[in-house]
Amino acid sequence: MKVFKEQIQSFLKRDCLIEVVPSIDSTNRVVKELAEQGEPEGRVLFAEEQTAGRGRMGRSFFSPPGSGLYFSVLLRPKGMDPLKITVAAGVAVARAAQEVLGLELQIKWVNDLYRQDKKVCGILAEGSFAGGGLAYCVLGIGINVFAPAEGFGALQSIAGALRDTAPDDKVRGRLAAAVLNHFFEIYEDIENSAVLQEYRRRSYLQGKTVTAVRGNERIRGKVLGIGSGAELLLQGEGGETLAFTSGEVQLEDYR
Ligand code: BTN
């Protein structure tokens, strides 16, 4: 555990208070607790395994020991649009995978990362709002670095990994640090339009027919692109243009 932490720290370009634990229910849950206790921005908690990893829309996130990176970052973004944090995190993971492993990942709106048509990373940004703005945000990132020995079980047809074989632990440390380095670089210059351009360039959904799910609504349409506020633009079945700032998108053959 200590080795992993030291590896991450040796590649980090900025000061972050990092903690690594062997097993925990959910790093997002624990960091949320730290946020409520007034801990400052920049606390990062890694777990080698999560027993109740959380996903979006109340789903769970499969987090078996040793094969992935599961971590949460405490942010105090002072009124920032939460969608921008999500975009920043997606682009940061894609840049890190490119830098460390030479991979070209795609981003499925709003923040899943894909390699060869399989999901390899999920991002869950949980915000707490006060006085009309975002008081804090817990940014949780789960990356399947390599496929677990026992496989992905029921998720086998949709889940993938960055690598087919286990890289040495140094690679995980480098990757973790690279995600944090890229994330904070983007976060500190969040209005930089190059990030949205890269998010669009990496879009997994462009031109595909999808069903957007927002509350009880299900709307089928063709993806036109990503708008200036990172909203998803769909052409509905009647030809109308629809914009989504929240919810999620299902592909025809994807749950
Ligand atoms: C999703 O795919 O719907 C989002 C998955 C987010 C998973 C990460 S793993 C680290 C952090 N802790 C959690 O409980 N969830 C996030």
Side-chain angles (χ1 to χ4, degrees):
M1 238 38 69
K2 191 163 173 234
V3 175
F4 181 47
K5 179 174 166 178
E6 281 162 4
Q7 278 166 0
I8 301 170
Q9 276 167 332
S10 71
F11 294 112
L12 269 181
K13 289 188 189 153
R14 56 146 30 228
D15 268 353
C16 290
L17 191 52
I18 288 183
E19 198 184 338
V20 181
V21 294
S23 179
I24 210 160
D25 54 349
S26 155
T27 56
N28 261 38
R29 185 196 65 74
V30 174
V31 172
K32 210 161 186 236
E33 239 175 56
L34 295 175
E36 294 289 343
Q37 289 161 14
E39 286 289 322
E41 177 163 277
R43 288 283 311 251
V44 187
L45 176 64
F46 283 84
E48 287 288 355
E49 164 192 51
Q50 294 184 118
T51 53
R54 296 180 190 168
R56 296 183 72 238
M57 319 291 273
R59 286 195 285 261
S60 59
F61 187 79
F62 183 52
S63 317
S67 58
L69 284 172
Y70 320 113
F71 60 103
S72 300
V73 186
L74 172 53
L75 302 170
R76 296 200 177 272
K78 298 191 188 79
M80 198 180 278
D81 175 358
L83 199 51
K84 290 195 172 153
I85 296 174
T86 294
V87 168
V91 172
V93 172
R95 286 184 182 175
Q98 190 137 37
E99 178 188 312
V100 178
L101 297 168
L103 294 174
E104 184 71 37
L105 300 185
Q106 289 179 288
I107 305 174
K108 173 178 171 275
W109 189 91
V110 58
N111 51 4
D112 288 339
L113 282 100
Y114 273 60
R115 175 188 170 227
Q116 296 173 344
D117 294 317
K118 298 258 175 103
K119 176 171 167 174
V120 295
C121 170
I123 296 168
L124 176 65
E126 295 187 285
S128 171
F129 295 84
L134 196 54
Y136 68 79
C137 175
V138 175
L139 173 65
I141 301 181
I143 304 174
N144 304 330
V145 182
F146 58 94
E150 69 281 18
F152 289 104
L155 301 172
Q156 197 67 35
S157 62
I158 52 172
L162 297 182
R163 293 274 294 259
D164 301 325
T165 51
D168 61 51
D169 219 28
K170 222 172 177 177
V171 171
R172 271 187 339 128
R174 272 187 67 198
L175 188 65
V179 173
L180 291 170
N181 289 338
H182 283 293
F183 175 75
F184 280 111
E185 195 182 302
I186 297 170
Y187 180 69
E188 279 154 15
D189 185 20
I190 200 94
E191 300 303 334
N192 190 329
S193 61
V195 175
L196 189 59
Q197 278 166 27
E198 183 167 348
Y199 188 82
R200 287 183 177 128
R201 179 178 67 73
R202 292 183 182 275
S203 176
Y204 181 66
L205 295 177
Q206 189 65 35
K208 291 187 173 145
T209 299
V210 300
T211 300
V213 183
R214 186 169 52 185
N216 292 329
E217 267 184 310
R218 293 177 65 82
I219 300 152
R220 200 162 171 271
K222 187 175 162 186
V223 176
L224 296 173
I226 309 283
S228 57
E231 71 279 17
L232 183 75
L233 301 173
L234 283 193
Q235 182 169 51
E237 291 187 309
E240 70 284 22
T241 299
L242 304 160
F244 292 83
T245 54
S246 63
E248 73 158 10
V249 161
Q250 295 172 349
L251 286 160
E252 302 275 275
D253 56 350
Y254 182 85
R255 200 165 50 86

